Amino acid sequence: MKSALLIGLLLCGAATAQKNKEVTTKKNPHARAQPVGVVPGQLIVKFKKKGNANGIFKQLAKAGINLSPIRELGDGSFLVEFSEDSGLSVSVLGLDVKAGGSVIDALDKKTRQALDKLNKFFDIEYAEPNYVFKPAAVPNDQFYSLQWHLPKLNMPKAWDYSRGSNVVVAVLDTGQTKHPDLIPNYVAGYDMLTDPKMGGDGNGRDSDPTDVGDGGVCDDGITYENSWHGTHVDGIVAGATNNTEGVAGVGWGTKIQNIRVLGKCGGSMADIADGIRWAAGMSVPGMPANATPAKVINMSLGGYTGTACPVTYQNAINDVVARGVTVVVAAGNDGKNASGSSPANCNNVITVTAVNLNLTKTYYGNFGTNVTLAAFGGDTTRDDNNDGYGDGILSHLWSPDGSEWYYAFMEGTSMATPQVSGVVALMYALKPKITPAQVKDILKRSATPLASGACTQGCGSGILNAAKALELTRALP
Ligand SMILES: [Ca+2]
Ligand SMILES: [Ca+2]
Ligand SMILES: [Ca+2]
């Protein structure tokens, strides 16, 4: 159909960070689970001889160290309580362990001296603080330190609430690739492209959502390189995380369902609308049932139509939202009011614009009252964090000819949108019965408002704050 609405990819520039020496030699300083504090007023003490614990406690009291046993632990040591007047001061949670130092150095001086005293007491094998360990919420992926967007989204704290539990995010995009840092999180998807010319795989719809490349000459006469756009988006949602390879995704346990709706020169709304319904587990004529329906649909796609939301889109969106599925869409990269960009201007969606590393709206991000909130789209023309790379979003990619996989920085509302989808998946993981209306309300209430002047034309409620969103989600009945 000639008049089919063609949908463009919502990305701007791309700068590659290949697996070169400079990147691969960076070490992640947070890979180990470190003690982050101590339980105030508690120690663990082991006596050299078993059987005379009471006698030793009395001797210690005579020496001015009043300890009262709480319980004996499995190895015969004692968890004990001490008080200020025992000669030990009560220490605090949340110790600031300096690089190269230890948690002992971070204890207050009085406690350190007292531990030292106890450890010299002849009947004591050892005494140590009752450390508090946190989950290793900071992942060990090789290039995590270049993923500035993750700490800025407050992800490490959010991962203490949830790292995902097999919630499926449908990514309606250019399809999937065999990037080794993505494959573990895929579930079966579909190739929705009916037009073999767009599909480029010699047929119409089929069950293989592999991205065979979307490059070529389009109606505008321009020759486009393969974008591997879906691969980059997939990685932001839920690249394989904490596997020491590559980068981390927003969800560790989240699953990705690739629904290929964009091919050479874009994709048609008819295919995309079918993809929306199929993603949610609804029946689509001529298609098999979706065995693993999605709870979240990510659409890092759109086009500036200058008109209202097309009915075809709105009906599909309303149908899936009624089934409890949350639809997250990119606001678009036109630097215009999102009211003219679809599906950003549809009802019942979460529309995401893009801010840069400095928490300011990007030059390209669409704006206005249709925008729900912002996440990080980045700006590859700047290096404000001085890491030697343009400040885009680092994720999975391939060389244009598809011969080499690597990691690359890209910018766009396409990159901001999957950050929101990834956090929404964690919300569903925490509360599987959460409704799309509750998701939207929580995202808005938990967003960090932008500073005055950072987005004068409207970025919704502010910037995505993953930890706060999950805190509010956890508080739901
Ligand atoms: Ca096909
Ligand atoms: Ca990884
Ligand atoms: Ca940078």
Side-chain angles (χ1 to χ4, degrees):
M1 192 170 86
K2 265 187 184 159
S3 60
L5 180 62
L6 296 185
I7 311 298
L9 305 174
L10 293 185
L11 67 109
C12 289
T16 58
Q18 303 204 13
K19 293 179 76 177
N20 59 33
K21 209 175 169 190
E22 186 191 353
V23 176
T24 54
T25 52
K26 275 187 189 257
K27 289 273 182 275
N28 176 0
H30 304 291
R32 288 169 296 123
Q34 290 188 328
V36 294
V38 298
V39 179
Q42 290 187 0
L43 295 174
I44 294 170
V45 184
K46 182 142 192 215
F47 303 133
K48 282 180 181 162
K49 283 182 204 145
K50 237 181 125 87
N52 186 27
N54 282 342
I56 300 171
F57 281 123
K58 275 179 194 159
Q59 279 184 39
L60 283 168
K62 272 186 199 161
I65 304 172
N66 286 301
L67 301 178
S68 36
I70 297 170
R71 67 172 186 277
E72 193 175 342
L73 304 182
D75 63 352
S77 63
F78 286 87
L79 178 64
V80 302
E81 223 169 15
F82 62 89
S83 56
E84 289 277 11
D85 61 7
S86 71
L88 304 175
S89 74
V90 178
S91 201
V92 289
L93 285 165
L95 297 169
D96 182 22
V97 180
K98 301 270 185 296
S102 77
V103 72
I104 299 291
D105 303 326
L107 290 168
D108 60 283
K109 197 177 169 192
K110 238 173 148 183
T111 307
R112 265 186 289 131
Q113 285 173 342
L115 273 171
D116 201 38
K117 198 170 161 186
L118 274 172
N119 276 313
K120 283 181 181 144
F121 203 77
F122 72 96
D123 269 330
I124 290 178
E125 194 176 317
Y126 60 82
E128 62 187 5
N130 188 12
Y131 293 123
V132 174
F133 287 83
K134 277 208 169 189
V138 175
N140 62 13
D141 304 77
Q142 195 176 7
F143 303 132
Y144 177 77
S145 61
L146 296 172
Q147 296 182 278
W148 54 268
H149 67 286
L150 292 171
K152 284 196 185 292
L153 290 172
N154 223 345
M155 284 318 306
K157 195 175 170 206
W159 287 324
D160 281 350
Y161 296 119
S162 176
R163 299 176 201 175
S165 59
N166 298 318
V167 172
V168 176
V169 176
V171 175
L172 274 60
D173 215 292
T174 61
Q176 71 193 38
T177 58
K178 289 193 161 60
H179 198 297
D181 200 39
L182 278 177
I183 288 171
N185 287 342
Y186 284 153
V187 295
Y190 216 87
D191 175 8
M192 298 297 297
L193 293 167
T194 43
D195 178 352
K197 249 171 57 191
M198 275 182 170
D201 60 349
N203 56 29
R205 286 187 182 169
D206 66 87
S207 62
D208 179 5
T210 295
D211 185 348
V212 297
D214 58 352
V217 187
C218 295
D219 286 350
D220 54 12
I222 298 170
T223 304
Y224 291 90
E225 285 190 326
N226 293 323
S227 69
W228 313 115
H229 185 263
T231 293
H232 203 269
V233 170
D234 283 352
I236 296 168
V237 174
T241 300
N242 209 35
N243 63 343
T244 71
E245 165 60 41
V247 293
V250 166
W252 300 26
T254 302
K255 296 297 173 197
I256 302 164
Q257 179 166 66
N258 284 289
I259 301 182
R260 186 172 179 241
V261 297
L262 300 175
K264 294 185 189 303
C265 312
S268 75
M269 186 164 68
D271 284 347
I272 295 171
D274 275 355
I276 292 171
R277 285 199 177 85
W278 190 81
M282 300 182 69
S283 68
V284 175
M287 289 190 62
N290 180 350
T292 51
K295 279 292 173 194
V296 190
I297 294 176
N298 185 91
M299 292 203 276
S300 289
L301 56 83
Y304 196 83
T305 61
T307 62
C309 170
V311 180
T312 302
Y313 263 150
Q314 192 62 64
N315 286 345
I317 290 163
N318 289 349
D319 283 353
V320 301
V321 169
R323 292 173 67 100
V325 173
T326 295
V327 182
V328 186
V329 304
N333 300 331
D334 315 285
K336 291 180 181 165
N337 195 309
S339 61
S341 182
S342 294
N345 61 357
C346 298
N347 290 322
N348 258 341
V349 296
I350 288 161
T351 299
V352 183
T353 192
V355 291
N356 61 27
L357 188 140
N358 299 322
L359 317 182
T360 303
K361 191 187 83 68
T362 53
Y363 65 90
Y364 55 80
N366 287 349
F367 50 80
T369 53
N370 289 96
V371 173
T372 311
L373 80 170
F376 294 97
D379 183 343
T380 53
T381 66
R382 310 164 65 112
D383 182 14
D384 289 327
N385 63 353
N386 293 310
D387 63 0
Y389 297 96
D391 300 334
I393 305 303
L394 185 64
S395 184
H396 310 72
L397 212 69
W398 291 79
S399 55
D401 67 359
S403 65
E404 191 192 358
W405 57 270
Y406 47 63
Y407 304 91
F409 290 94
M410 292 173 94
E411 67 180 21
T413 53
S414 275
M415 281 67 244
T417 304
Q419 293 163 33
V420 175
S421 295
V423 170
V424 172
L426 300 183
M427 294 166 79
Y428 275 94
L430 265 186
K431 296 278 175 181
K433 291 200 158 56
I434 195 169
T435 66
Q438 285 174 316
V439 167
K440 191 168 188 174
D441 173 61
I442 285 178
L443 286 176
K444 284 160 81 169
R445 283 196 287 131
S446 58
T448 308
L450 282 120
S452 133
C455 179
T456 52
Q457 294 159 301
C459 286
S461 302
I463 302 170
L464 173 66
N465 181 337
K468 207 165 169 201
L470 290 179
E471 258 169 52
L472 295 181
T473 303
R474 196 170 62 159
L476 287 175

